[in-house]
Structure formats: C-alpha cells, structure tokens
Amino acid sequence: MENGRSIRVRGQVQGVGFRPFVWTLARRLGLRGHVLNDPEGVLIHAVGADLDGFEAALIAEAPPLARVDAVESHTLQGDFGPDFRIAASTGTGAETRVTPDAATCPACLAEIRDPKERRFGYAFANCTHCGPRFTILKALPYDREKTTMAPFVLCSDCRSDYEDPADRRFHAQPVACPECGPKLWIEPRTDLDPIAEATRHLKAGRVLAIKGLGGFHLAVDARNAEAIDLLRRRKHRPSKPFALMGALDVVCEYAAPTEQERDLLCSSAAPIVLLERIGAALPDGIAPGQVTLGWMLPYTPLHHILLDAFDGPLVMTSGNLSGEPQVIDNEEAREKLGGFADAFLMHDREIARRLDDSVERITSQGPMVLRRARGRVPGTLPLPPGFEEAPQVAAFGGQMKGAICLIKNGQALLGHHLGELDDALTYDAFLQADADYADLFDHRPEVVAVDLHPEYRATKHGQARADQDGLRLERVQHHHAHLASCLAENGWPLDGGKVAGIILDGTGLGDDGTLWGGEVLLGDYRGFERRAWLKPAPLIGGDMAAREPWRNALVRLDQAGLSDWADELFANKPLAMARMAAERGVNAPMSSSAGRLFDAVAAILGHCADGQSYEGEAAMSLEALARTSSGLRRDSLAIGVPVASMIDGALDPSEMIRHLITMRKAGAELADLAFAFHLWLARCFEGAVTTAIAKTEAKAVVLSGGCFQNALLLELMVGSLHQHDVLLHRQTPANDGGLALGQAVVAAARHI
Ligand code: ZN
Ligand code: ZN
Ligand code: FE
C-alpha cells in the first residue's frame, strides 16, 4: 500500500483530449497510477513526488478545448501499479459532455497546407483540439459509432493515430484522411478538382452553394457587386446584411479589428464578428446602410482550402428559403437551393444537427452575443449559488429567436438559435430540438417554463408537454425572464437581493394584459414589481405595426401634438383609418415597447418608414445613423436633449419627439438627431431608476432586452448609470434568444 492521491477534475474535460494530456503530464513527472472518464468528469489516481505541481499543471496546461471548473483531491491509500495508464471509463448514465464544434487548429491547418503530409489539401482533417462535434453527434456517449462518421471505416494509418496516446488524434472521434474519410465533389459533376471548379465559379460571379459544418451556405465573390445583387434577387432578400468570410489578412483589408476582436475571430468558436468598415471598400449591397460588416474566419479545412484557392473575401449567407431554417441535407439542398445556386460544393458527411453561425460583437462594455449557435452550444453555464437543489427544468422561450433551455445538476444548457417559430419548418426544428436535447442530456424535467403569452407556439408546446407528462407548468412574464437571464448569466445568487431591471425590448405580454417592452422592474428570480414604463402607444394593425414603422411614428407624433407633421411625412398612408383604429382600439393593442419607439423615431428621421424587410432593420439603421454623428457637434450639444418627465410611472417621449422635429426644422443633421434620441433614452431610463427605485431597494441595475443589442445605446446607458453597479449580458443574448434561460431560473426559483 502506498500513499497517493485521488484527484477529481470537473468542467468541460471529456472529448477534448484531457486523458492523453493527463497521461503525458503524469509520465513527464514520473507519476504512477491511472486516469479515467466517469459520469462526474475525469478521475485520477496518482502517486509520485510532485503531486502539487501535477495538480497545478492540470489547470495551467489544460488542452485548448478544455475548461477546468474545479480540481478536488484527497489522499488515497492503495496500489497504484507499475506505470501510468489510461483506464476504461466507468459508470453508466454518464453525463458525457459534448463540446461545441471547434475551428480548425493551427496544427491541422499546417498539415493540410503541407504537400508532404497525407492530409495535404484534405477538407475533413481534424484532431482532438479541433473539428466537428455537436453537428455530427447522433446520440451519446460521444463515440464514432454514434456520429455521422460511423459509415467511414478507419484506415490502418488513422487507426494508429486514434489509438496512440502520444498522438494529437488519440480518441478524436471524427479522425479521417483522404484514404478513409468523407469526400468532396462539385455539382454539376465533373472530373475536375472540386476546389478549382468552385473557385472558377466564384470568380465568374456565380452563386455557389457550399455544404459546411452546420448547414449549407450560399457564397459569392464579396468584391463583385453584380454577383451580390444576383444573390439578393434570387433569395428575395433586399437588404438584410450578408455575412462575410475571409482569412485574417483579408479581413484586415476591410476592417481594423482590435485585439479583442481578433481573439474572438480566431477563437475556436469562430463566430461571425461585427466589425466596423475601415479601409478598402466593399460593395454596399453586402449590408446596405450598415456601418459594420459581419466577418468570420474560415473554420473548417474545407473553408480554408477554398479560401486559399480563391484568395479574397466571400459573402457567406445561410442557404435557406426566406424565413425557413438552413438546409442541411444534400437532396434537400438540390431541391431548395437549386433556384439560387449555379453550382454545389458537396460532401458525403451527413450533418446531424443544423447549427447557424453564431453572431457576436465587441462593444465598449465587452463581448456581446447576438445569435448563439455553432461553436457555443452545447456549452453550459453553472447556475448561481442557491440553485444547487434546483429541479430539472425545461424552458421553451418566446416566439421570436426560439431557443430552449434545460436545467440539470446545477447547470443550465441554453440551446442553439432556432429562428422565428411563426415558420412551420422552424417550428418543426424546435420540436426536434426539444426531443433531441432531452435525449442527449438524459433530461427528465419536473417543471416546464413558458412565456405568459398563450398564443406563442413555444407556450402551447410547453403546456402540451406539461399536460401529457404530468409536469408542473410555470408561466413567466417575458421581461421578468429577460431580467432573470441576465442575473443568471452574472451568477447573481438566488438570495442576492433585488435589482433594478431596465428592460428595453420589442414586445412581450405584461401581467396586466397589455404589451410591455420599455420597463423598469424591481425584482429578483422570485418576483418583480413594475416601477416605470414608456408611456404606452397603440400598435395600429397589431403585428403590422412592427413591420411598418410609419404606424408607430404616427401615434407618437399625434401624442406629441404634431399631427400636422405626421400628415406631411406620411401623406401617402391611410392616416384617417389608422387614427380611427387607434382611437377606437380596434386591432390596436397598447404597448410600452422601446423597440417600437425606435421604429417610430427611425421613420420620423426617414428610415424604413414604409416597411422593414427584416426584424430590427429600422432600429439597426437608426444606430448606424447615430454612429455617424460627429463627436464635436455632440459635445457642443447643439443637439440638446430634453429631460424626460415621469407621471405615475409613465415616461412620456413626447417632449423628445417635439425636440427632434424642432431641430429637424432648424436644419440639424439627421445623424445628430438619431444620436440625441439614443442619449435621451439612456438618460430617461437612468432617471426612472433613480426616481422610481430607492437606493436601498436595489443592489444593482440589470440591462436586458433586445434593444441592448444596440452597442451605442448600451454604451450610453452604462455611462448614465456610472453611479450604479451594472449587470450586462456577455455570453447569452440580451434578446429573446436568451429568454429561455431566464424562464428556467425563475421557474426553478419557485421550486426550491
Ligand atoms: Zn486540429
Ligand atoms: Zn484514414
Ligand atoms: Fe423580448
């Protein structure tokens, strides 16, 4: 018997090369013992001289995709054997974590560029530190047989890579080479090299459909304005920004990424990052009216070899029919994308799970997640202190930007972005994701959480599941869920006290039956009070009001006593009918939505008045416009900003609207007016927090809701709140993509 140690490592430590890393480290330090995977993570039994150094190195030198949450150890008496070895996994029902898909690592990239290597030019190279994971996973545990790599039988070379603990590919499930792995081809079929052919099509201004990691993309040459127009016409997508892909040096020709932005671009998650346009110009058709462009780096070997050959930036937009989910199947692609694409770059590795590209940006306040998908899911967040005993919860999110959240064992898993559940196929994808996540995580909820809105498809689904399985159903107010999601992300303890929530959002059903969206809430996970709100205005035509910003402009101008101005601005609109609907309350529900106020101001300043071709277009163009306002003019405050008045909790924007019109008549720059509106909104809500909530009542201020995707608003808001502790979203979306997390923790808090 010897005195050694039992060491437990928790976190993202499975499927990331942790055991071979431990094995190598232990041998280096001359330790004896073993390492294995079990349901709790990685377990090590070791004996030797420097066990403290060993434990420190487990954290300091962990492999790239690992995340060590905790190392716990105690002394152990036993027989540690003659050497150090990797032992068989133990335990059943293992919660074997699957890591997110990871961008090609530097070692694999060097290999596919080296003619001496057998994986030279190979589109499906990967290793333990990179490659497909969640997108190829069919079931747990994560073994090759349970992935879409199953049909590809390892050749002897790949098998020896796979079995050698000293190799980078030890136990890399998707390991492959040109001999044994997936193959690439081009359609229409030719015998020519598929990459050379694909490049030729792109150079000729044609549209290429590319089968990627989580779905198909449609690609065109980003420097070719005609090709971009062609793609827009074929896709019936007049103005929604296209994403771009380019190597880092190419990105730097058109943008000047900061160090933080570079790190994000180059991270293994490889999201689309919104970058300011700086340097050489690209056709405006890529993102009409936007000051930023969404860039991503090539993240699979296929993308790398294509971009190496093409040598320039590509537009890479998701391959789908308008409003539908991204296409993932070869046959489906031929059928649905045949009308858009001139050629297809295809392969025979099946995509098990559709994952859009994640979209993120770096703001003055740090990272911001706009869309959480590939590279981020199925990552989990530890729940805050106090939630240790939380029951298993399934939360189903809202109607827009659908996403599901599961709670289990003190962790929250926020699922991938699904899209707008109005679309039938997206709703199918939602149902599939529900079954899929439940299966993968062996999830057996006791509690189901849904929005208050009875007509959301997600609500109906949650209700049906609760009825069917006899689960407890918790309805969570939309903006309370936004507040709670921000608290959860920030690790705010269950009993951490109340916070003031500034929730600036589109719309969500309030507990008084009206639609909310510009709120100051005082509350915590367990409950809330509504302390202040934007003065409500009717949404003329219901959902139409969100699509046609002139409707919101009309009611805000009328409220401000500027009906003449509305008559002039919107002379070609059915104003009399609209006003009658507003007056009589016919299909004109009242709403305090900040999102709709953005629409109103955008329309007043001449942006998107007639209609938005995508959700958020008016608000995004207002932010873009405000960003062009010159700092000098701002500082001299020629623009001025009126103080918002609050009467019985209602914040009236009329004074601000009158100010905008007066300044506009006086010839002020539109950009300055757009900026003034942002500043007014920030000051207005800072004022509301200060007046409506006593200092002793709230311990911090939470910012959440879709409007906080607006980096300028966020910056101004945080600036106005400099005397408060402010909690923001950094890893989860402030928009409805993060709603399910908030619903889940609110529901959990009711059952602890
Ligand atoms: Zn690699
Ligand atoms: Zn092989
Ligand atoms: Fe919302």
Side-chain angles (χ1 to χ4, degrees), residues 382-436:
L383 287 176
F387 283 93
E388 294 79 5
E389 303 301 318
Q392 291 193 26
V393 182
F396 292 109
Q399 180 80 352
M400 312 276 281
K401 303 185 169 62
I404 291 168
C405 182
L406 304 182
I407 281 185
K408 183 181 170 182
N409 292 354
Q411 300 280 322
L413 182 136
L414 178 59
H416 61 284
H417 164 89
L418 292 159
E420 321 309 333
L421 301 188
D422 291 335
D423 175 71
L425 288 178
T426 305
Y427 182 61
D428 285 346
F430 165 86
L431 295 179
Q432 209 181 325
D434 181 28
D436 202 23

Side-chain angles (χ1 to χ4, degrees), residues 502-505 517-520 533-535 556 592-599 601 619 622 640-644 651-653 656 660 673-689 703 706-708 710 712-714 716-718 720-721:
I502 298 178
I503 317 294
L504 303 182
D505 200 28
E519 316 301 312
V520 175
W533 53 88
L534 272 179
K535 179 179 171 178
R556 290 299 185 185
S592 57
S593 165
R596 297 297 81 80
L597 184 63
F598 263 94
D599 293 353
V601 172
L622 198 64
V641 178
V643 178
L651 302 154
D652 190 348
M656 181 271 304
L660 293 184
L673 299 182
F675 182 85
F677 167 65
H678 282 77
L679 192 58
W680 174 83
L681 198 62
R683 290 187 184 168
C684 165
F685 276 88
E686 184 276 324
V689 163
L703 304 183
C707 295
F708 285 112
N710 179 322
L712 177 63
L713 177 66
L714 183 70
L716 294 172
M717 193 76 247
V718 172
S720 300
L721 292 165

Side-chain angles (χ1 to χ4, degrees), residues 478 482 505 507 736:
H478 190 97
H482 274 303
D505 200 28
T507 54
D736 284 8

Side-chain angles (χ1 to χ4, degrees), residues 118 154-155 158 176-177 179-181:
R118 68 192 178 92
L154 287 178
C155 68
C158 284
C177 76
E179 188 66 32
C180 66

Side-chain angles (χ1 to χ4, degrees), residues 102-109 111 125-131 168-169:
T104 309
C105 74
C108 286
L109 184 57
E111 258 182 24
N126 63 77
C127 73
T128 317
H129 309 313
C130 75
R168 193 169 100 245
R169 296 194 163 90

